[in-house]
Amino acid sequence: MDGQNFNNGQNTGTPQYSNYQDNTAFQQPNVTPGNGGKASGTQIASLVLGIISIVLCCCYGAPSLILGIIGLVCGIKGNKENKNGVGTAGIVCSIIGLIMGIASLIYYIVVGAAIYSVGSDPSSWY
């Protein structure tokens, strides 16, 4: 070496510690239950059906209601097996699609009733 022998090769009995603290030594490993955190088919189906129900809410509300209910059931069933973000997103999209479908259905019923009442009154034709 270069003549600088620390402790002259003798063991002083005190261990040498660095300033680094290893906080990971006491943590449990992060193990995800189920299929390793992967989304199941029912969760993906829930997400797809929820998105389609949001898109189709302007089609008189009925397709949105049907797809939203099916997506909600698939999302709940998928989250019972393995809970992750895809299943939760599918449930949220399905609920949004259901709400928008109900609002659209109510809108079309009210507008249809108003058009029918105006159309059935012959005095308003002139």
Side-chain angles (χ1 to χ4, degrees):
M1 295 194 13
D2 59 0
Q4 296 178 351
N5 292 334
F6 294 104
N7 296 333
N8 294 328
Q10 300 172 356
N11 188 0
T12 60
T14 58
Q16 298 292 324
Y17 293 109
S18 66
N19 289 333
Y20 176 73
Q21 291 181 341
D22 186 14
N23 293 329
T24 60
F26 301 109
Q27 292 180 353
Q28 296 292 327
N30 190 7
V31 177
T32 56
N35 58 3
K38 295 181 183 177
S40 67
T42 54
Q43 291 172 330
I44 294 172
S46 170
L47 182 62
V48 170
L49 290 172
I51 291 171
I52 293 173
S53 71
I54 291 172
V55 171
L56 293 181
C57 73
C58 60
C59 298
Y60 301 111
S64 179
L65 289 174
I66 294 168
L67 294 176
I69 291 171
I70 295 171
L72 189 62
V73 169
C74 287
I76 291 171
K77 183 179 176 185
N79 270 354
K80 284 183 181 178
E81 297 169 3
N82 181 18
K83 191 168 186 172
N84 62 13
V86 177
T88 306
I91 290 173
V92 169
C93 287
S94 297
I95 290 172
I96 291 171
L98 277 171
I99 292 171
M100 291 175 70
I102 290 170
S104 176
L105 187 64
I106 291 171
Y107 171 78
Y108 284 116
I109 289 173
V110 168
V111 168
I115 290 173
Y116 179 75
S117 68
V118 169
S120 63
D121 185 20
S123 64
S124 65
W125 293 354
Y126 302 109

